[in-house]
Amino acid sequence: MTAPILSLMSGTCSMLRKLRRAAALLAAATLVAGGAGAQPAGGQPAALLLTLDGIVGPATADYVIRGLAAAREQNAAAVVLRIDTPGGLDASMRDIIRAILASPIPVISYVAPNGARAASAGTYILYASHVAAMAPATNLGAATPISLGGSSKPAEPPDKQPPPGHEGSPGRTGQDPAEAKAINDAVAYIRALAALRGRNADWAEQAVRGAASLTAGEAHARNVIDLIADDLPDLMAKAEGRSVRVGNGMLTLHTKDLRVLARDPDWRTQVLSVITNPNLALLLLMAGIYGLIFEFMTPGALFPGIFGAICLLVGLYALSALPLTYAGIALVLLGISLMVAEIFAPTLGVLGIGGAVSFILGALLLIDTDTPAFGVSIPLMAGIAAASLGMTFLVGRLALRSRQAPIVSGAESLIGQRIKVLSWADRQGYVAAAGERWRATGPAGLAAGDAVVITAVRGVTLQVRADAGPPPSG
């Protein structure tokens, strides 16, 4: 049993990797096709404005990465990344940071408008940017990994926390090794970003270990950010003349007279933000599987197969963009397999119930994050499992009823029918059955017109017995 499951997991992972590569190629083709039309008029340099608004996830990472690539294609002088986020997925955050660090175009991250925040993942992105700026009445920080920040264990008071730069010491009492490992990894990451950009690494560590936060004024005073700007024109004016490290060299910014061209999230980003919801991805996966099942059960219907294939591929692509656990994938696939097996081999609910339990457990373990926006809805998963279980029971009941129903076609349907003898001699003769003349064998003493009952069919010969009732009509 283990080998087929491992084989199924391996095949699924390979398919996810291929889908991810195909998506990257599609993004590149889209970028090349649309790059020329976005070139600033007259070839004058401009700054490209990207907006990171909301949860950091696969859709926002894809949007920012494609935006940075578009800025490079358009020879933009700078990229302004306007941020207002409560945080998000670690994997998506790191994808954005890798793109910023590799960008030959300087990136100016700007926490705006007033009231915005760059919490958690936003703080890391701000530290990674070439220029970090904030609008008044904004804040940043609370960069503790959210799966740990949601713990019920209280944080240490400031006077009992380990000194900044002290590696390997957890910031909260009672931490287990996994939590300490995750926090230390996050601390090392943000301190490396701070060292690269010449910003306050000690406070960055406090933001991770103790979930510290700062207002814009406090962040500027403590060398966490580079400047405070009231709006975009003020930002471009204050960034003028700053020297930043881009790649292996230094670059002086000339932003004062740059025109700012907004690149808003397109349909691709909006669609990706919808389908990367784990709940919708699982619904698409189930719809795809059942669509294919119905196509196999009724060959030639076409619509269930086409609909199922589309849903299955979209669902797999959405799941490939999310941080998955192998245990969750294995349990979901096992649950689906058991529920499908219940349809084709009814076992009075044993396979169906086991499949429903396995599916729910797998769905709960599927996404490797505690970010609420990417959580799996327990009621929804229970509803999917219940609906699937109900369908398996319905199909099983229909199959059982069909099995118990009398046979209405074929030679077996003749057994038990009351028919009339056409001619008889000794123990054999001819009878009329189903509108045809059949050869028959039976007891001696029968005569033409007698009533008999068919007891067996042997090839093209009927076995009959005498019947005491009146001869059948016709």
Side-chain angles (χ1 to χ4, degrees), residues 218-275:
E218 294 170 337
H220 187 250
R222 300 182 64 170
N223 190 33
V224 173
I225 62 172
D226 301 310
L227 54 91
I228 298 177
D230 295 329
D231 49 29
L232 277 176
D234 188 34
L235 172 68
M236 305 308 286
K238 290 182 176 179
E240 174 71 24
R242 297 188 67 90
S243 294
V244 297
R245 178 177 294 278
V246 178
N248 296 325
M250 300 299 294
L251 178 68
T252 300
L253 297 180
H254 299 286
T255 58
K256 186 175 181 179
D257 298 324
L258 290 179
R259 293 184 301 115
V260 179
L261 303 178
R263 181 185 173 92
D264 296 326
D266 56 8
W267 65 268
R268 172 194 169 99
T269 302
Q270 295 170 0
V271 170
L272 189 59
S273 65
V274 172
I275 66 173

Side-chain angles (χ1 to χ4, degrees), residues 266-327:
D266 56 8
W267 65 268
R268 172 194 169 99
T269 302
Q270 295 170 0
V271 170
L272 189 59
S273 65
V274 172
I275 66 173
T276 49
N277 183 309
N279 298 305
L280 181 58
L282 286 172
L283 282 174
L284 289 172
L285 190 64
M286 293 298 297
I289 290 173
Y290 277 107
L292 294 179
I293 290 174
F294 290 145
E295 179 66 29
F296 294 149
M297 295 176 67
T298 56
L302 296 182
F303 176 76
I306 296 173
F307 175 78
I310 293 174
C311 288
L312 186 61
L313 291 175
V314 174
L316 288 174
Y317 172 75
L319 291 176
S320 72
L322 295 169
L324 304 178
T325 63
Y326 288 111

Side-chain angles (χ1 to χ4, degrees), residues 407-428:
I407 300 174
V408 295
S409 63
E412 290 81 2
S413 63
L414 296 174
I415 298 175
Q417 286 191 15
R418 193 165 177 271
I419 58 176
K420 182 174 64 173
V421 175
L422 297 178
S423 61
W424 199 262
D426 196 12
R427 293 180 176 273
Q428 60 183 359

